[in-house]
Amino acid sequence: MGDFNLALVIVAVIVCMLVLLINVYLLINYQHPDDANQAYFPKFVVVFGLSIAAISILMLPADVANRQACRHAIYNGACNLTLPMKELWLAVYIADAVLVFFVIPFAMFYYEGDEDKSVGKRIKSALLWVVTAAIVCALLLGVLYEKVGMVDFSVRHLPSATTNFTSNWNFSLGQPCIGGSGAVACSAYTANASSEKTWTMRTSFPEYVVALATIVGSVLFSIFGGVGIACLPLGLIAAFVRRPKTVITRSQYIKEATELGKRAREMKKAADALRQEEKGGSKGTKWRKNVKAVEKELLQLEEDVKLLEEVYPQGEKAETSWALTVLGYLAKLVLGILGLIVSLAWMAHIVIYLVFDPPLSPFLNEVFIKLDDIWGLLGTAAFAFFCFYLLLGVIAGAMMLGLQLVFVTIHPMKWGATLMSSFLFNVGLILLCSISVIQFCSTAFGYYAQATAAQEIFGHTLESLRGIKYLYKYNVFQIAFIVHAALTFMYYITVLSFQGWRRERRSGKFKLSS
């Protein structure tokens, strides 16, 4: 048993190191050239935040493995030698909340501060905003914790009489416990409604902070996750269907390139005009609306340039480049089909196991258990994959809605062209939603992840918290998730199918609102 626990600790350390190296690699390759060799504090926050998000997702499979470490223990104290998962959960999620609500906003205010100011003034300005937000949050959390920081557990009062010890005990379905002259009610299923009581106790402050952060993340998760779990696979399939079938001629290339050049010059004029307005201090609602319009048009222009480069490869390796383009779209088709299967499995599991009470079937829970019977870590690996896929769906949904909705700030992630402000925004979004992903997974796979520390925090305390428990009692977030996913599926299947899955061509002159 000690060897198993030691192996689990070694695996955890190795995984943490791999996660750190992968996040450093992503930062180096995604960062914008303007941020090279500078902005070290925002970069540290990005790497640390991504590592916390990834580790928090991996902790649920680790929690399951940690529970299995003492399943076949010979002596009672064997489970005391396993990892202290509840303390680790609280530490990770407190760090998550601090990063989302304090550290990342400070890094964004500092990074986007006026470069003409000194470092001290930029730090002072960023601290002013963050300290103000911290005071407001602390007061709000303190008041809420004092007033409604209680958990209400529904229990049944089951009295039973006592009798002298005898060598013959007669129990039956109608008499499941000791009888006697007193009242007998030892079965919660057969007890009458009047025996139900409410047991109230105060939760710990760290658990309360995690619960409130989970509620905020659950709202975003039900929207972004529902949209993303549908658009992630269907977007890949749509990209394959819309793929360029053949290369274009040189004359067509010149015509398209000329049109893109005109659009680029219009964009430059618009950006210069907005920059002059900013220097003049006129940063009103119209200015912000025009800035978002320029950002959206710029993203569309970059996509059009990329598409033009695909349909007219140049250079000595033009044929090789076209072959790689074709293979890339085939890979998108394969990944899209596999992702569609996983997305449909997720939606079916939510309906079968979460929406109906009692559940119609354990479904994926049984699949993971059977995979564990084949090989000890196979079910755990599949479990981790489904959790990661859900987080990827949240990211895909956030990017899709950020490109479609006017009131959402666009922070695109692009290879070799991502500013630190966009990095920080997306890391904050991932961290905020990762809490809800873990809570959602611990509930959706409650049968497989039973008796874990995560289920104690998210499955019992959170769902019994006063004022919040009704959101989980009536499956508000699960139903919202299914509704958003269904609407997104309908959007792709009907609207895009009606348009022939063709890419929308932009025409006309780009204009700003006056």
Side-chain angles (χ1 to χ4, degrees):
M1 187 57 55
D3 294 338
F4 187 93
N5 296 330
L6 180 60
L8 188 60
V9 172
I10 294 174
V11 170
V13 172
I14 293 175
V15 168
C16 290
M17 294 178 63
L18 288 176
V19 167
L20 181 63
L21 292 176
I22 291 173
N23 290 328
V24 171
Y25 174 80
L26 292 175
L27 174 68
I28 293 174
N29 288 277
Y30 268 92
Q31 68 176 350
H32 197 280
D34 293 345
D35 289 328
N37 300 320
Q38 60 178 345
Y40 291 108
F41 176 69
K43 290 178 181 178
F44 170 78
V45 174
V46 166
V47 173
F48 184 67
L50 287 175
S51 300
I52 290 293
I55 290 171
S56 65
I57 298 295
L58 292 172
M59 276 183 65
L60 190 53
D63 202 349
V64 175
N66 194 61
R67 176 204 63 190
Q68 294 175 347
C70 61
R71 174 182 292 179
H72 304 292
I74 298 176
Y75 58 97
N76 294 330
C79 294
N80 296 330
L81 301 176
T82 55
L83 296 176
M85 291 305 303
K86 185 174 181 179
E87 289 75 11
L88 290 175
W89 275 119
L90 293 177
V92 166
Y93 282 115
I94 291 297
D96 193 316
V98 171
L99 282 170
V100 170
F101 296 107
F102 302 111
V103 178
I104 290 179
F106 171 80
M108 292 185 69
F109 284 127
Y110 175 78
Y111 177 80
E112 295 180 346
D114 191 351
E115 295 182 356
D116 296 334
K117 295 182 179 179
S118 63
V119 175
K121 290 183 177 180
R122 292 170 67 182
I123 293 176
K124 182 179 178 181
S125 177
L127 279 175
L128 181 63
W129 284 99
V130 174
V131 169
T132 303
I135 293 174
V136 173
C137 289
L139 291 175
L140 183 60
L141 286 173
V143 172
L144 289 175
Y145 180 72
E146 178 64 26
K147 296 297 183 182
V148 292
M150 311 292 289
V151 286
D152 299 321
F153 296 105
S154 295
V155 296
R156 289 187 182 273
H157 183 65
L158 304 177
S160 177
T162 60
T163 187
N164 294 328
F165 183 84
T166 63
S167 59
N168 184 19
W169 301 96
N170 295 319
F171 295 109
S172 65
L173 184 62
Q175 184 70 25
C177 60
I178 297 174
S181 59
V184 178
C186 55
S187 175
Y189 294 100
T190 59
N192 53 39
S194 62
S195 65
E196 184 170 321
K197 307 293 182 181
T198 300
W199 177 37
T200 301
M201 61 177 293
R202 181 172 293 278
T203 183
S204 65
F205 186 73
E207 289 183 345
Y208 190 73
V209 173
V210 171
L212 293 185
T214 304
I215 294 299
V216 177
S218 295
V219 175
L220 298 176
F221 167 76
S222 62
I223 300 173
F224 294 145
V227 172
I229 203 169
C231 75
L232 182 59
L234 292 180
L236 293 173
I237 296 174
F240 172 79
V241 176
R242 297 172 178 174
R243 74 192 185 282
K245 305 298 190 298
T246 183
V247 296
I248 62 176
T249 62
R250 181 175 177 80
S251 60
Q252 290 176 315
Y253 172 77
I254 293 175
K255 179 182 178 181
E256 294 290 339
T258 302
E259 181 65 26
L260 292 177
K262 292 180 181 179
R263 287 172 55 190
R265 287 191 291 271
E266 292 175 4
M267 290 289 299
K268 186 176 185 303
K269 291 180 181 179
D272 291 339
L274 291 173
R275 192 176 295 109
Q276 291 297 326
E277 291 184 19
E278 183 182 12
K279 290 182 178 180
S282 57
K283 295 172 63 175
T285 304
K286 185 186 72 174
W287 181 86
R288 293 186 180 89
K289 182 179 179 181
N290 288 331
V291 167
K292 292 185 177 182
V294 169
E295 290 177 345
K296 190 171 183 178
E297 184 71 17
L298 181 59
L299 289 175
Q300 186 66 51
L301 180 63
E302 291 176 352
E303 291 180 3
D304 291 341
V305 171
K306 182 180 178 181
L307 179 63
L308 185 60
E309 291 175 351
E310 287 182 351
V311 297
Y312 191 76
Q314 303 180 54
E316 298 179 356
K317 299 181 179 180
E319 294 182 357
T320 303
S321 178
W322 174 250
L324 292 175
T325 299
V326 173
L327 291 176
Y329 281 106
L330 288 174
K332 288 183 179 180
L333 175 63
V334 174
L335 292 175
I337 293 174
L338 294 176
L340 183 60
I341 295 173
V342 177
S343 295
L344 292 176
W346 251 120
M347 294 181 65
H349 180 76
I350 293 171
V351 173
I352 293 172
Y353 188 75
L354 293 180
V355 175
F356 288 96
D357 187 20
L360 300 179
S361 169
F363 195 39
L364 291 178
N365 289 282
E366 287 187 343
V367 174
F368 297 149
I369 292 173
K370 291 180 179 179
L371 289 176
D372 275 336
D373 293 337
I374 297 174
W375 181 52
L377 293 178
L378 191 58
T380 305
F383 176 49
F385 169 76
F386 270 81
C387 294
F388 258 116
Y389 184 84
L390 200 59
L391 184 61
L392 291 177
V394 171
I395 298 172
M399 297 305 296
M400 178 184 178
L401 292 179
L403 295 175
Q404 298 296 329
L405 301 179
V406 178
F407 55 84
V408 177
T409 304
I410 300 173
H411 288 274
M413 295 283 292
K414 293 201 170 184
W415 190 268
T418 305
L419 294 172
M420 282 300 108
S421 56
S422 299
F423 246 129
L424 290 167
F425 176 85
N426 287 285
V427 169
L429 180 63
I430 292 171
L431 282 169
L432 190 58
C433 292
S434 65
I435 302 177
S436 301
V437 170
I438 292 300
Q439 188 274 333
F440 193 84
C441 289
S442 64
T443 304
F445 303 123
Y447 184 64
Y448 179 72
Q450 59 183 332
T452 57
Q455 196 171 63
E456 180 181 350
I457 297 174
F458 298 110
H460 303 302
T461 303
L462 179 61
E463 295 179 7
S464 301
L465 200 63
R466 184 174 297 177
I468 295 177
K469 62 181 181 179
Y470 299 103
L471 296 174
Y472 297 96
K473 180 179 180 180
Y474 298 107
N475 298 320
V476 173
F477 298 121
Q478 290 89 336
I479 294 174
F481 183 93
I482 291 295
V483 169
H484 285 103
L487 291 175
T488 307
F489 270 107
M490 291 173 59
Y491 170 78
Y492 269 94
I493 293 174
T494 58
V495 178
L496 295 182
S497 179
F498 178 76
Q499 294 177 353
W501 295 85
R502 293 182 180 178
R503 191 175 184 278
E504 181 182 357
R505 297 299 301 273
R506 297 184 64 84
S507 60
K509 186 176 181 179
F510 172 69
K511 296 180 181 179
L512 297 175
S513 61
S514 59

